[in-house]
Amino acid sequence: MEQSDTKSPKLLIKQAFERGERLTTLTGNQIGHTVDFRKVVSELRDDGFQIKDYWEKAPDGRKFKVYYHEMQSPKQSEGITK
């Protein structure tokens, strides 16, 4: 059974970014039905799709990256001032 292009991890993840979703590695893997979200992000960037990221800190002290499409407004906590 051949997988349709409309269900490829790359396309599913790109569509999530275009909807304005902010993704972590965990959520990106879930949305794309993949175990290699960061590779997909790298491929999208190589294709010219603008993806930015920033570090967040979990309540237990662990750090993780959050990825978003550059056309989306940055999060206030990134130090952006008006």
Side-chain angles (χ1 to χ4, degrees), residues 10 38-54 65-68:
K10 188 174 177 180
R38 291 176 294 180
K39 182 177 180 181
V40 173
V41 168
S42 179
E43 290 172 356
L44 287 169
R45 285 175 169 162
D46 289 346
D47 292 346
F49 192 72
Q50 301 297 312
I51 299 173
K52 296 281 191 172
D53 59 67
Y54 59 90
K65 268 194 178 178
V66 178
Y67 299 85
Y68 64 97

Side-chain angles (χ1 to χ4, degrees), residues 7-59:
K7 298 292 183 184
S8 74
K10 188 174 177 180
L11 184 59
L12 291 169
I13 290 167
K14 183 177 181 181
Q15 289 172 340
F17 280 130
E18 288 173 336
R19 287 191 301 268
E21 295 184 40
R22 290 177 183 262
L23 305 176
T24 64
T25 300
L26 175 64
T27 57
N29 283 338
Q30 291 170 337
I31 287 170
H33 306 288
T34 183
V35 294
D36 214 353
F37 169 73
R38 291 176 294 180
K39 182 177 180 181
V40 173
V41 168
S42 179
E43 290 172 356
L44 287 169
R45 285 175 169 162
D46 289 346
D47 292 346
F49 192 72
Q50 301 297 312
I51 299 173
K52 296 281 191 172
D53 59 67
Y54 59 90
W55 287 98
E56 279 285 327
K57 193 171 187 179

